[in-house]
Amino acid sequence: DIQVTQSPSSLSASVGDRVTLTCRASQDITTYLAWFQQKPGKAPKSLIYGASKLQAGVPSKFSGSGSGTDFTLTISNLQPEDFATYYCQQYNSDPPTFGGGTKVEIK
Amino acid sequence: EVQLVQSGAEMKKPGESLRISCKASGYNFTTFWISWVRQMPGRGLEWLGRIDPIDSYTKYNPSFEGHVTFSADKSINTAYLHLSSLRASDSAVYYCARGSGLRSWFDPWGQGSPVTVSS
């Protein structure tokens, strides 16, 4: 199975900040990477697919980049509703696997 | 609006069986696969497998094969996750999610079905 590692596991930021989350795959997955946002007690919500393509309806403050094994999710102008846990997922090969998540907390 | 609505919370005893439903609306149910994902308390996400509703072809994560099975009833746009011989370690939230087979991301997700297994 492809291992997916996210860093950091948590970070503290202030409203208005710009943050960058990192995701690394254990082998080349080209751009078969998605990012999800999950709030406590809620289902994951798709943000990005294809490493950099914004899911319909997701604000442009979210942006993804990367290819191969290294990827980033950047969130600009953090707002209270953005504080959540973010997961990346590779879907290059079965089984799809998820990173352990990055929890973005209010400083 | 594309939507997946799952059945509610369940409390079961060890050894019992369970079926979770996932009803799709807002799209042609037979043109997308349904995946099932587990999230154990305070833990990350694990893919259990997927089913193609058009012919009920299934692909299981080898880590879960034999313990979970999937089915689908395209007449009512509903997919099912079946868990047998439940154990405490099956306590988790189970999600269904729409995808399009191999090399597909998941969107949308169902709201989740919490399962507690306890004697």
Side-chain angles (χ1 to χ4, degrees), chain B:
Chain B
E1 179 193 6
V2 175
Q3 205 171 5
L4 299 175
V5 178
Q6 297 182 226
S7 48
E10 298 268 9
M11 292 199 65
K12 292 289 186 179
K13 293 186 179 345
E16 292 184 336
S17 298
L18 172 66
R19 186 182 78 169
I20 297 171
S21 66
C22 171
K23 183 170 177 62
S25 61
Y27 73 99
N28 186 337
F29 181 59
T30 59
T31 57
F32 290 87
W33 293 61
I34 294 289
S35 274
W36 289 94
V37 176
R38 178 178 85 170
Q39 186 168 37
M40 296 176 71
R43 302 276 297 274
L45 301 156
E46 301 170 282
W47 181 75
L48 304 180
R50 67 170 73 89
I51 184 167
D52 185 350
I54 197 167
D55 58 6
S56 291
Y57 178 81
T58 54
K59 178 71 184 291
Y60 293 98
N61 184 332
S63 297
F64 296 94
E65 194 155 15
H67 188 50
V68 303
T69 55
F70 312 134
S71 63
D73 185 342
K74 54 189 178 184
S75 70
I76 54 171
N77 293 348
T78 302
Y80 300 97
L81 165 64
H82 306 261
L83 293 158
S84 59
S85 301
L86 288 165
R87 45 210 185 211
S89 58
D90 291 319
S91 297
V93 179
Y94 292 84
Y95 294 100
C96 60
R98 190 186 75 163
S100 55
L102 181 63
R103 288 189 170 166
S104 173
W105 68 100
F106 303 141
D107 179 72
W109 295 58
Q111 84 277 18
S113 297
V115 173
T116 303
V117 182
S118 174
S119 54

Side-chain angles (χ1 to χ4, degrees), chain A residues 29-71:
Chain A
I29 58 170
T30 63
T31 57
Y32 291 107
L33 187 101
W35 289 95
F36 299 93
Q37 175 194 68
Q38 187 177 35
K39 297 181 180 179
K42 300 294 186 183
K45 174 188 173 185
S46 176
L47 299 174
I48 301 275
Y49 65 95
S52 61
K53 298 180 175 67
L54 210 59
Q55 191 71 41
V58 173
S60 59
K61 63 188 305 181
F62 294 96
S63 63
S65 66
S67 67
T69 60
D70 294 312
F71 303 86

